[in-house]
């Protein structure tokens, strides 16, 4: 069976990209990274993709006068590759609603909080400052509103007394690296459906496949 073709969009370190690349190295993994696109030439993720021998394209947003011009180029690169799903992985550009609509139900993102709490930036410090007991991360479909859209998977990370934003970030990223490849695999295997803007899982799915929660 041909593998599900994905594009990964990055702006920085690319540790989630690396987790996807590593998962896709297993011959039984149902998806393949067809292209990595970065809007920053110096993103470390570009090196990771090149090292893995994946087609890598830099579309430096600074070279485009408008967001729409940048997105024309982005769309042209994506359509050249016959992409099934776009995965945003630390991609730090806001996308216009018109572009998001082109990829409606075919674009996912990972965000470092338990959405809908803590949309936006600086999620770890904000959670610590609020004294909440649990933080985590979310994989969700992308809709025009930022950090919204149907939730696919979430992982919970308890916040401990001595956690700082950096220790919490490390713990959350460890969960991200498990969760993103797992969510992607589930989409590629058609184990989930979007019904009325909510994600529904196959009835035969084990709860342990979709709920990532801490052992207390
Ligand atoms: C991750 O924490 C992700 O949740 C957020 O951006 C970060 C990207 O990290 N959207 P990396 O580039 O994958 O290391």
């Amino acid at each position: 069976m041909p593998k599900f073709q994905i594009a990964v969009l990055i702006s920085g370190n690319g540790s989630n990209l690396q987790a996807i690349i590593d998962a896709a190295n297993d011959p039984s993994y149902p998806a393949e990274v067809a292209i990595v696109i970065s809007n920053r030439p110096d993103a470390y993720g570009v090196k990771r993709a090149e090292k893995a021998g994946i087609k890598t394209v830099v579309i430096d947003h600074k070279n485009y006068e408008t967001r729409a011009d940048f997105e024309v180029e982005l769309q042209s690169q994506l359509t050249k590759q016959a992409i099934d799903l776009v995965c945003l992985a630390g991609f730090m550009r806001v996308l216009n609603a018109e572009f998001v609509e082109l990829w409606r139900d075919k674009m996912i993102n990972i965000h470092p909080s338990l959405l809908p709490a803590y949309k936006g930036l600086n999620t770890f410090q904000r959670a610590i400052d609020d004294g909440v007991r649990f933080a985590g991360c979310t994989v969700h479909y992308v809709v025009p509103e930022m950090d919204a859209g149907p939730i696919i998977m979430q992982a919970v990370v308890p916040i401990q007394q001595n956690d700082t934003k950096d220790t919490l970030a490390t713990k959350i990223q460890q969960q991200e690296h498990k969760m993103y490849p797992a969510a992607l695999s589930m989409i590629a295997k058609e184990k989930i459906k979007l019904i009325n803007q909510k994600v529904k899982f196959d009835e035969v799915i084990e709860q342990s496949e979709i709920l990532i929660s801490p052992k207390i």
Side-chain angles (χ1 to χ4, degrees), residues 140-152:
H140 64 97
Y141 282 101
V142 176
V143 295
E145 188 195 330
M146 201 180 63
D147 299 330
I151 290 171
I152 302 167

Side-chain angles (χ1 to χ4, degrees), residues 82-97:
I83 293 300
D84 296 308
L85 186 79
V86 174
C87 302
L88 307 182
F91 182 68
M92 301 304 283
R93 293 295 291 168
V94 172
L95 295 164
N96 276 324

